[in-house]
Amino acid sequence: MEKLLLRNVDKENSHTIEVYLKGGGYSALRKALKEMSPDDVVEEVKLSGLRGRGGAGFPTGMKWEFAAADLKEPKFFVCNADEGEPCTFKDRVIIEKDPHALIEGMLIGAYATGCRYGYIYLRGEYPIGKKILERAIAEAYEKGFLGENILGTDFSFDLYVHSGAGAYICGEETALIESLEGKRGEPRIKPPFPVNAGYLWKPTVVNNVETLANVPLIIERGGKWYSQIGSPDCPGPKLFPVSGKVKRPGVYELPMGTPLREIIFEHAGGIVKDRKLKAVFPGGASSSLLTADEIDVPMDFPSLAKAGTMLGSGAIMVLDETDCVVKAALRLIEFFRHESCGKCTPCREGTDWLVRIMRRIEEGLGTEEDLDTILSVSETMENSFCGLGMAAHNPVASSVRKFRDEFLEHIKLGRCPFRSG
Ligand code: NAI
Ligand code: SF4
């Protein structure tokens, strides 16, 4: 497949505006501003079928339509660059290697929705990305793509980078907005959604980095062209970060709907030392795992939901036959316990319970009853206030359901069977 999202990343100095312009950069912005009305842009994005790449897959055109229809002022356009999910490192490639694609996508989105100010909320642990983005923004101001009366039109847009301080919860859009306002990053109740009441309670569009990098392509080549790539229900190119026990870990751009088996065994080279595949987390650290028999699934939102898991950020984490599922699930729930903001009881207490029970089992001190308690706590966590708590138990609960024998072996042996001695 022709590289679309990663078309620029292998070029020398791909992060500079000279290289971006040489490759046709900012021509989509020019086309939008000079040849299209804001409504035309929204319609084109709707026609493309683009769905959000942050994890939830909400239709981007619809989000923009809602924001455009809200006439409160000023409006804000925020890029969620707080990529904090373990094993998710796809947005980083765009931020560091093609920052102008992101800026151009934001400008087109801001024009379509009537936003005057923009923020890139950047993960605190991406200091190199911060320097690159700030330099790219300065370059865009110099060339007249940012600021007052862009390209001689009456569209004006100012853009700033805001660094997070290391809290995973600030990737949740309402916690992100609270943090941007200078408060402690805790989620707000939804609705109202940010498109109507976001930053400073004004209409605010929040889009993920990868989502925005798709936008110049859609405007340049048309929504119809875009809608024919990959899965009909959720089209377009998709970045899949692959990690764990594969021969060639990395970020792969493939059409949405590429089978998981093909990604692991063809693109990522198969399992290290030609061992057997044991299990895969197909959609980030909060997805339910799939066994080796379940990987003939197209990697798109509806197919993975049908398979009982989720596409999420599209991050694929692979375990082989030498890996302990109990230990892997324990590591993930330890992460979520640490990152739970503590605002609501099911998540704050649930993640802590799961860590304590899982540690006990991993150390060989668990009981069979513990497995029922894990599933019961997980069910309660479904009632958490935000997505973090609602999904945090997935890796643990799915491990118990699909690898019960491995848990029982820990309990029977009184130790981890993957550890010698
Ligand atoms: P959500 O379904 O609540 O919202 C998705 C988006 O659609 C939001 O921007 C929301 O404002 C908008 N939206 C939904 N219904 C709307 C309506 N009726 N009107 C206007 N706007 C509406 O999901 P959420 O909690 O924002 O995201 C959850 C996902 O985030 C999970 O699937 C997970 O995979 C992903 N995630 C990604 C991470 C990463 O590092 N990329 C980290 C953690 C989670
Ligand atoms: Fe905070 Fe977790 Fe509740 Fe979300 S689910 S509000 S992260 S405690």
Side-chain angles (χ1 to χ4, degrees), residues 168-169 172 185-188 336 339-349 351 381 383-392:
Y168 170 75
I169 189 57
E172 196 286 332
E186 282 185 352
R188 294 176 181 170
F336 289 119
E339 297 298 337
S340 166
C341 82
K343 175 171 173 147
C344 73
T345 311
C347 171
R348 185 188 60 239
E349 301 303 319
T351 51
M381 287 175 69
N383 303 311
S384 296
F385 188 81
C386 83
L388 191 155
M390 285 180 213

Side-chain angles (χ1 to χ4, degrees), residues 53-58 63 66 82-85 88 90-91 168 171-173 190 193-196 206 208 283 286 310-313 386-387:
R53 303 298 201 236
F58 192 80
K63 189 184 275 189
F66 291 154
D82 194 47
E83 180 173 62
E85 180 101 336
T88 303
K90 64 182 182 71
D91 294 341
Y168 170 75
E172 196 286 332
E173 58 179 359
K190 292 195 285 192
F193 290 96
V195 283
N196 301 118
V206 185
N208 163 263
S286 47
M310 63 180 186
L311 180 68
S313 58
C386 83

Side-chain angles (χ1 to χ4, degrees), residues 321-400:
E321 58 187 327
T322 66
D323 291 317
C324 173
V325 165
V326 178
K327 191 168 180 182
L330 169 62
R331 286 288 169 271
L332 295 176
I333 195 66
E334 281 175 336
F335 170 81
F336 289 119
R337 181 184 69 163
H338 181 71
E339 297 298 337
S340 166
C341 82
K343 175 171 173 147
C344 73
T345 311
C347 171
R348 185 188 60 239
E349 301 303 319
T351 51
D352 189 53
W353 275 49
L354 290 184
V355 166
R356 283 192 280 152
I357 299 169
M358 289 290 287
R359 271 195 193 147
R360 202 157 63 217
I361 296 172
E362 212 262 331
E363 286 163 7
L365 301 170
T367 64
E368 204 169 336
E369 214 186 344
D370 283 336
L371 304 187
D372 297 333
T373 312
I374 287 175
L375 296 179
S376 157
V377 171
S378 299
E379 207 181 314
T380 308
M381 287 175 69
E382 299 279 345
N383 303 311
S384 296
F385 188 81
C386 83
L388 191 155
M390 285 180 213
H393 59 86
N394 283 334
V396 175
S398 60
S399 302
V400 170

Side-chain angles (χ1 to χ4, degrees), residues 45 72 233 417 419:
V45 174
K72 290 194 288 294
D233 288 345
R419 219 181 283 147

